[in-house]
Amino acid sequence: MSEQQKRVEAGRRVVIVGAGMAGVQSAVALREQGFRGAVTVLGAEPHPPYDRPPLSKAVLLGTADGAAFDIDFEALGIEVRLGVHVTGVRPADHELDTGAGPVPYDSLVLATGAEPILLPGSEGVPGVHVLRTLDDAERLRPVLAGRHDVVVVGAGWIGAEFATAAREAGCAVTVVEAADRPLAGALPAEVAAPMTAWYADAGVDLRTRARVRRVEPGAVFLDDGTRLSADAVVVGIGARPATAWLAGSGIALGAHHEVLADDRLRTSAPDVYAVGDCASFPSGRYGERLLVHHWDNAVQGPRTVASRIIGETPAVYDPVPYFWSEQFGRFVQYAGHHAPGDELIWRGDPTTPAWTVCWLRDGALTALLAVGRPRDLAQARKLIEAATPLDPALTADPSIPLKKAAA
């Protein structure tokens, strides 16, 4: 790079909206890849940037006071501005609108994440909680410390993780799920069915096919007239991309109100990128657009964004999605992406503590769910990445290493 080019780059301004994992990693990746210009991270919360996975366990249980990133932003020359609420963006002017005034940018990274879906009619009712931020976890900590009666609405990933922590703290926990099984939106019925027993084993009262009619202070009423006593209600019915502030910007959004990014995480607006929970991207591997609300996506995407901003041509962004969940004494991991038509193969007995489910498409592994079998998961990620065909009979034998099932 010539001296003139260095001076031009040093004068460039990258602004990142969102101080979660995706935003912070975008800033760090820019520095790691040699970007010399100004890097500013705007966070709406007053807290220094922090990681979210500990919120549903260590922070709730009081074994950790927080989950701040161990990053020396000052040493990296990254400006972090907290408590800044971004209200809009004008791509033609290369300027953000915020509560503290306009903020100009040369390149903009959208990393606003997702926000919890609220239970209709529960807004403002005392004792109703969601679990997304550090403040949410702090508000719930005394609920667990006091061993209160808790009703969890939603038997998804976050509902199961909170119920696990609440039981560990000694709370009486009832989980209410409108579908006929846990994780109905994520897993097929035959895969999710064995997980139902986990709730009973942990002493959790799981009520499926149960819809909430209304919530009042101290109680949850179901459609069938049942009244559930609740010192606290925790709503875990999903999350949506936090993109309402982009209204009128002209930046293209998808069916789930997520930012539509291309295969290098560029948006429809010039010099604007999107990464993490707020954005979807086209996957050549799976032949569809993916909206991935998981930590690993927020870690991987920033490297692609940083590379594009500094003027390189990064590889197409098409990762193998991955996430994990700790619930009811089990370590659950998932890699890939499955579709209804994929062949499902059981690998082990789901009534035991350790088992795996594999999905094959045209003979190749596309996704895997591992319960207590981390070696299967580690091998699966590589097999999925390489689109390796597997022998179904060998795949179904849990005594054979998964990599040995390659056809």
Side-chain angles (χ1 to χ4, degrees):
M1 181 181 291
S2 69
E3 288 303 316
Q4 174 62 21
Q5 289 173 318
K6 290 180 180 179
R7 284 194 294 271
V8 170
E9 183 177 277
R12 291 177 61 201
R13 301 159 298 186
V14 177
V15 177
I16 300 165
V17 183
M21 177 61 76
V24 165
Q25 288 299 320
S26 294
V28 171
L30 282 164
R31 291 300 188 226
E32 288 178 342
Q33 296 184 31
F35 181 72
R36 296 175 172 82
V39 178
T40 301
V41 178
L42 305 179
E45 295 183 54
H47 310 290
Y50 60 88
D51 204 4
R52 295 189 188 278
L55 299 185
S56 61
K57 184 71 172 177
V59 176
L60 272 179
L61 293 172
T63 58
D65 290 328
F69 292 119
D70 186 18
I71 297 171
D72 191 335
F73 294 103
E74 185 176 356
L76 290 172
I78 297 169
E79 180 188 12
V80 179
R81 296 173 57 187
L82 303 176
V84 176
H85 293 272
V86 181
T87 57
V89 58
R90 289 171 280 113
D93 300 328
H94 276 60
E95 203 164 64
L96 287 165
D97 293 319
T98 79
V103 176
Y105 65 85
D106 295 300
S107 293
L108 175 65
V109 181
L110 309 179
T112 47
E115 56 194 7
I117 296 173
L118 303 180
L119 183 67
S122 69
E123 296 90 339
V125 177
V128 177
H129 303 262
V130 293
L131 180 54
R132 185 72 182 182
T133 69
L134 181 58
D135 286 340
D136 293 335
E138 293 290 355
R139 281 188 286 268
L140 278 164
R141 186 186 285 187
V143 172
L144 271 62
R147 299 184 176 182
H148 293 298
D149 292 347
V150 179
V151 172
V152 180
V153 182
W157 299 112
I158 192 65
E161 290 180 4
F162 178 82
T164 299
R167 283 299 297 145
E168 188 172 327
C171 297
V173 181
T174 301
V175 176
V176 176
E177 170 57 50
D180 61 353
R181 62 189 186 277
L183 295 168
L187 297 172
E190 61 188 296
V191 177
M195 298 177 175
T196 301
W198 299 358
Y199 288 76
D201 291 346
V204 175
D205 180 7
L206 172 64
R207 304 196 180 200
T208 58
R209 296 188 177 89
R211 293 186 175 275
V212 175
R213 176 178 295 173
R214 71 181 188 278
V215 178
E216 295 180 358
V220 174
F221 293 86
L222 305 182
D223 267 355
D224 65 2
T226 301
R227 180 188 183 278
L228 301 174
S229 176
D231 297 312
V233 179
V234 179
V235 179
I237 56 176
R240 60 167 63 93
T243 57
W245 67 280
L246 293 172
S249 69
I251 295 174
L253 302 182
H256 302 284
H257 304 287
E258 84 281 14
V259 179
L260 294 176
D262 70 5
D263 58 8
R264 289 180 173 83
L265 302 182
R266 297 170 295 193
T267 74
S268 61
D271 304 314
V272 181
Y273 305 82
V275 66
D277 291 4
C278 71
S280 65
F281 57 90
S283 170
R285 176 178 290 108
Y286 293 107
E288 60 182 285
R289 181 170 282 275
L290 298 183
L291 175 59
V292 180
H293 281 187
H294 294 298
W295 186 91
D296 195 61
N297 180 50
V299 172
Q300 294 198 58
R303 292 190 287 268
T304 296
V305 168
S307 179
R308 194 73 185 90
I309 287 175
I310 66 175
E312 296 182 356
T313 302
V316 166
Y317 186 67
D318 196 5
V320 174
Y322 166 72
F323 69 91
W324 76 96
S325 176
E326 294 182 85
Q327 48 185 272
F328 308 120
R330 295 164 176 83
F331 187 44
V332 184
Q333 295 172 285
Y334 179 95
H337 175 71
H338 68 270
D342 294 344
E343 179 185 3
L344 191 153
I345 297 177
W346 285 94
R347 182 174 164 83
D349 182 353
T351 64
T352 64
W355 48 274
T356 295
V357 172
C358 301
W359 285 270
L360 272 59
R361 185 181 307 172
D362 298 327
L365 186 67
T366 59
L368 175 141
L369 175 79
V371 177
R373 292 181 65 95
R375 184 174 296 179
D376 277 0
L377 192 287
Q379 294 178 11
R381 294 182 78 171
K382 297 176 181 178
L383 293 168
I384 296 170
E385 185 77 42
T388 304
L390 298 185
D391 181 302
L394 297 178
T395 301
D397 187 342
S399 70
I400 297 175
L402 195 59
K403 62 184 179 182
K404 299 293 186 182

